[in-house]
Amino acid sequence: MSMPILLTVDDDPAVSRAVARDLRRRYGQDYRVVRATSGADALDALREIKLRGDAVAAILADYRMPQMDGIAFLEQAMDLFPRARRALLTAYADTDAAIQAINVVDVDHYLLKPWDPPEEKLYPVIDSLVDAWRAAGDAPVEETKVVGHRWSAKSYAVRDFLARNSVPYRWYSVDEAEGQRLLDAAGKQPEDIPVVITPDGRALVSPSGPEIAEAVGLSTQPSGDFYDLVIIGGGPAGLGAAVYGASEGLKTVLVERKATGGQAGQSSRIENYLGFPDGVSGAQLTDRARRQAQKFGAEVLTARDVTGLEVRGSARVVTFGDGSEIKAHAIVLSTGVAYRALDAAGVQELTGRGVYYGSASTEAPDCQDKPVYIVGGANSAGQAAVFFSRYAASVTLVVRGASLRSSMSHYLIEQIEAIENISVRTSTVVEKAHGDEHLESLSLHCSESGITEQVDASHLFVFIGAAPRTDWLGDAVVRDDHGFVCTGPDLLVEGRRPPGWTLDRDPLYLESSVPGVFVAGDVRAQSVKRVASAVGEGAMAVTLVHRYLEER
């Protein structure tokens, strides 16, 4: 098999030669470097490569090129090699173009010219691109097929599960001819939907998350029954703990109920996370963190529901919903939080049929040229408004408070104010959701004017605070009145340690009322609800796990 290809395109011959020279110097033994001096020539080269059956690992395109700029070129290149990783070469003055490229063609990186020294500015980016390409592979993707109804809550749940777990799938409506043909071939009826047809031809009727996970090849079973560290919850805190735990030699397993990433994984764009000046989608950040953890040897289990935690001597035991269990020396609880339910008439009945909790980015194409409403005034709601403004005819933020400034980051407020089709309705709540088969309109009440207005709405996305997922813990650990897990100094009452504490020391900073059970991220009482702080707490928890293990 011939070597995979790194393709560069730049209309400046000197720059084109320079980048090709630097790439050959570092990657020439493993990759063939192909360069072009225009978008058209590069597309011709890609077509020839496609015909020969060769693989393209990464494409570097200059932004400013005549006739066809780098973004337009990458859009067409994606049709030929959708799994090739993409980077944009740009001058400092064109960083806005890089952000546009991320939104339009999902560029992995942008590189500022000049990139000297390449060891610091070029090679780390290319290393990241080729590592991601190797991890994803370039073999044809075996697609899962989903047949369902556009306004079926169960169909939406299946699509959301597959999308959040990065499982390629193709959607077919039962109302379309091809969808009906697939049902006929599977021997199923329209009332059986949703039907999931796996790459090996099995047809699953209204499958649960664990059933889908097993059918599409996601890891659901632990390889052993005893670990150094079990991490419960795969959001930023859990992924941070998995990366640091596994990289430091701990036998580590991360257990996730639905999909890694948590609420952050659903974010359309995170722009204030350190090291990503052009922003990063929650899905991209999650995918990179998961691959990083697995590279260091961490196991990642998906669609496993944890139902209990207990102490058996020196072991900490985690019980699953099916009655099975795993044991560990130490536990990190990082279960995050769930969006609170919107208390308004009609909302529950229409959930999954026009009403959604979180960003639900799989719904974006169906928002095209339609009125969209978003409830909430924090960053997650603002990020969703910016994202859906690219599709919807209008986006309206419905905010209970008098202003966004007390709950949303300044940079995000400025973005929202600059987007013409986003409006903000303050001092307003949703009183009722209307619709038969799906959401059709909303009743909005303004507390300042006392007026209730009914407005057309095709989609409603809800971001109204969050509650911790800790009911399953029962009395195993101390929680506050809201269900958040108390740790460290918060457990000391008038200098006294929590009841049942067995060690001759105070609880460590992130340690719960059970020695060896640590807490990180949003589920911890008094935590800072930010992605960066969650990742930091995940890393810090592993440091404290080491201290705990050294005491044993």
Side-chain angles (χ1 to χ4, degrees), residues 25-85:
R25 184 180 301 161
R26 174 70 171 260
Y27 304 99
Q29 289 188 340
D30 301 309
Y31 295 86
R32 184 158 62 91
V33 177
V34 175
R35 69 181 183 93
T37 54
S38 73
D41 288 345
L43 288 174
D44 287 341
L46 288 174
R47 293 185 187 101
E48 184 178 340
I49 293 167
K50 188 77 172 179
L51 289 173
R52 290 201 307 265
D54 293 337
V56 176
I59 301 171
L60 284 74
D62 183 42
Y63 171 61
R64 287 183 177 270
M65 295 189 293
Q67 286 81 50
M68 181 186 299
D69 65 28
I71 297 174
F73 161 72
L74 287 174
E75 282 190 277
Q76 295 188 49
M78 286 171 64
D79 293 335
L80 293 166
F81 290 94
R83 287 177 288 280
R85 314 313 289 192

Side-chain angles (χ1 to χ4, degrees), residues 324-344:
S324 62
E325 61 184 33
I326 53 175
K327 305 178 186 69
H329 292 304
I331 304 288
V332 172
L333 298 176
S334 54
T335 51
V337 291
Y339 289 114
R340 296 186 189 278
L342 179 61
D343 186 16

Side-chain angles (χ1 to χ4, degrees), residues 381-403:
Q383 290 160 352
V386 173
F387 173 71
F388 285 110
S389 69
R390 302 200 298 271
Y391 301 87
S394 64
V395 175
T396 303
L397 269 170
V398 179
V399 184
R400 180 186 294 271
S403 168

Side-chain angles (χ1 to χ4, degrees), residues 295-336:
K295 180 186 76 171
F296 287 124
E299 292 181 40
V300 179
L301 307 183
T302 304
R304 295 306 305 264
D305 196 17
V306 175
T307 58
L309 172 65
E310 61 178 294
V311 175
R312 295 183 195 163
S314 63
R316 305 298 180 254
V317 183
V318 172
T319 305
F320 295 116
D322 62 1
S324 62
E325 61 184 33
I326 53 175
K327 305 178 186 69
H329 292 304
I331 304 288
V332 172
L333 298 176
S334 54
T335 51

Side-chain angles (χ1 to χ4, degrees), residues 20-297:
R21 177 202 64 215
D22 288 341
L23 291 178
R24 289 191 183 101
R25 184 180 301 161
R26 174 70 171 260
Y27 304 99
Q29 289 188 340
D30 301 309
Y31 295 86
R32 184 158 62 91
V33 177
V34 175
R35 69 181 183 93
T37 54
S38 73
D41 288 345
L43 288 174
D44 287 341
L46 288 174
R47 293 185 187 101
E48 184 178 340
I49 293 167
K50 188 77 172 179
L51 289 173
R52 290 201 307 265
D54 293 337
V56 176
I59 301 171
L60 284 74
D62 183 42
Y63 171 61
R64 287 183 177 270
M65 295 189 293
Q67 286 81 50
M68 181 186 299
D69 65 28
I71 297 174
F73 161 72
L74 287 174
E75 282 190 277
Q76 295 188 49
M78 286 171 64
D79 293 335
L80 293 166
F81 290 94
R83 287 177 288 280
R85 314 313 289 192
R86 300 169 290 278
L88 195 71
L89 292 166
T90 180
Y92 182 80
D94 294 326
T95 52
D96 285 346
I99 295 173
Q100 179 189 357
I102 289 169
N103 293 333
V104 174
V105 293
D106 199 23
V107 164
D108 297 284
H109 290 278
Y110 74 86
L111 279 163
L112 290 177
K113 298 186 290 186
W115 55 84
D116 288 332
E119 290 76 13
E120 294 180 12
K121 298 182 179 180
L122 176 66
Y123 296 152
V125 170
I126 305 303
D127 287 345
S128 176
L129 294 177
V130 298
D131 285 348
W133 177 78
R134 283 195 192 112
D138 199 50
V141 176
E142 294 183 316
E143 269 184 351
T144 298
K145 301 178 179 67
V146 180
V147 183
H149 192 278
R150 171 70 188 85
W151 298 114
S152 159
K154 288 184 177 180
S155 296
Y156 164 72
V158 168
R159 294 166 61 196
D160 185 58
F161 180 86
L162 292 170
R164 291 185 60 190
N165 282 286
S166 302
V167 177
Y169 75 93
R170 188 176 294 276
W171 164 257
Y172 298 89
S173 172
V174 69
D175 297 325
E176 299 172 354
E178 185 60 26
Q180 188 58 58
R181 280 195 289 269
L182 286 170
L183 285 184
D184 292 341
K188 307 300 179 184
Q189 302 299 319
E191 55 266 26
D192 293 327
I193 63 167
V195 173
V196 176
I197 302 171
T198 63
D200 61 3
R202 285 180 292 161
L204 310 177
V205 175
S206 294
S208 65
E211 289 173 332
I212 299 172
E214 186 173 353
V216 300
L218 296 176
S219 180
T220 60
Q221 299 296 328
S223 65
D225 59 5
F226 201 100
Y227 293 81
D228 294 320
L229 176 62
V230 172
I231 302 162
I232 305 173
L239 289 167
V243 168
Y244 282 91
S247 67
E248 293 172 11
L250 297 179
K251 185 180 180 183
T252 302
V253 60
L254 183 150
V255 181
E256 170 54 44
R257 186 174 64 92
K258 186 172 183 180
T260 51
Q263 287 188 0
Q266 294 178 278
S267 176
S268 53
R269 182 66 51 190
I270 301 170
E271 297 192 69
N272 58 353
Y273 188 65
L274 184 69
F276 291 88
D278 49 340
V280 61
S281 73
Q284 285 179 318
L285 189 63
T286 296
D287 178 63
R288 293 175 184 180
R290 182 178 59 245
R291 287 192 285 107
Q292 192 174 17
Q294 291 173 320
K295 180 186 76 171
F296 287 124

